[in-house]
């Protein structure tokens, strides 16, 4: 895939913000599989996972003008996918709560090396943000 290194995250976000559909196509081709696997690790339903990934891309396109990526586009899409999974489970409460939350942390961390690395990156970022908070805010958060 020659498009993988063609654009940086900053370039892609800028192109998305300008409404360039080709940028969305590049982002989709680069990240859909990672997003699908992240969702499938938790949901175990191919059709639902495909819908979740599609919803993330629709949301990305609809909110493109206000898009602000702080870490990386990959991390942003991974996190968005996990949040959509949460949303899916909250909308479908008939699914067993235990299935979602039983060992959820370990499911994310051990799903595959790539998702484990992204999870660690997000935890590190969160810890660094928490460290910048005033002492009282840190105490409340923890």
């Amino acid at each position: 895939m020659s498009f993988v290194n063609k654009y940086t995250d900053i370039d892609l976000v800028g192109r998305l913000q300008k409404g360039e559909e080709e940028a969305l196509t590049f982002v989709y081709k680069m990240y859909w599989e990672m997003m699908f696997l992240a969702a499938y690790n938790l949901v175990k339903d191919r059709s639902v996972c495909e819908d979740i990934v599609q919803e993330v891309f629709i949301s990305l396109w609809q909110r493109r003008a206000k898009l602000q990526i702080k870490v990386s586009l990959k991390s942003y899409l991974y996190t968005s996918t996990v949040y959509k999974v949460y949303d899916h489970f909250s909308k479908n409460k008939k699914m067993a709560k235990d299935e979602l939350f039983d060992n959820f942390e370990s499911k994310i961390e051990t799903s595959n090396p790539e998702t484990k690395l992204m999870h660690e990156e997000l935890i590190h970022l969160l810890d660094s943000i928490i460290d910048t908070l005033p002492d009282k805010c840190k105490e409340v958060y923890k």
Side-chain angles (χ1 to χ4, degrees), residues 24-38:
L24 184 65
T25 301
F26 286 147
V27 172
Y28 178 84
K29 288 178 180 178
M30 284 193 300
Y31 298 119
W32 77 267
E33 185 175 13
M34 175 269 306
M35 295 165 64
F36 176 84
L37 291 173

Side-chain angles (χ1 to χ4, degrees), residues 93-125:
K93 292 186 185 215
K94 63 185 174 200
M95 298 187 92
K97 241 186 195 182
D98 294 337
E99 186 178 327
L100 171 62
F101 293 108
D102 191 31
N103 299 321
F104 183 76
E105 192 76 17
S106 65
K107 286 179 185 177
I108 289 177
E109 289 180 5
T110 60
S111 56
N112 65 49
E114 186 176 24
T115 56
K116 183 176 182 177
L117 182 63
M118 286 188 299
H119 179 76
E120 290 171 4
E121 181 181 309
L122 291 171
I123 295 297
H124 177 70
L125 176 66

Side-chain angles (χ1 to χ4, degrees), residues 55-69:
E55 287 175 26
V56 171
F57 279 107
I58 289 170
S59 176
L60 178 71
W61 185 251
Q62 289 173 339
R63 298 180 309 119
R64 68 188 178 275
K66 297 178 184 177
L67 194 60
Q68 293 183 358
I69 306 295

Side-chain angles (χ1 to χ4, degrees), residues 6-106:
K6 190 172 182 177
Y7 300 104
T8 65
D9 285 355
I10 295 169
D11 293 335
L12 286 172
V13 170
R15 292 182 65 205
L16 285 170
Q17 289 171 332
K18 292 176 186 174
E20 293 183 28
E21 292 178 13
E22 184 183 55
L24 184 65
T25 301
F26 286 147
V27 172
Y28 178 84
K29 288 178 180 178
M30 284 193 300
Y31 298 119
W32 77 267
E33 185 175 13
M34 175 269 306
M35 295 165 64
F36 176 84
L37 291 173
Y40 192 80
N41 236 3
L42 301 168
V43 179
K44 305 291 188 215
D45 183 322
R46 182 178 183 88
S47 176
V48 170
C49 293
E50 289 170 352
D51 290 345
I52 287 170
V53 171
Q54 181 178 359
E55 287 175 26
V56 171
F57 279 107
I58 289 170
S59 176
L60 178 71
W61 185 251
Q62 289 173 339
R63 298 180 309 119
R64 68 188 178 275
K66 297 178 184 177
L67 194 60
Q68 293 183 358
I69 306 295
K70 306 243 187 231
V71 179
S72 71
L73 189 54
K74 185 178 193 175
S75 294
Y76 176 87
L77 293 170
Y78 173 80
T79 304
S80 297
T81 303
V82 171
Y83 284 141
K84 282 288 185 191
V85 169
Y86 281 132
D87 190 45
H88 166 75
F89 280 116
S90 70
K91 288 179 181 175
N92 297 291
K93 292 186 185 215
K94 63 185 174 200
M95 298 187 92
K97 241 186 195 182
D98 294 337
E99 186 178 327
L100 171 62
F101 293 108
D102 191 31
N103 299 321
F104 183 76
E105 192 76 17
S106 65

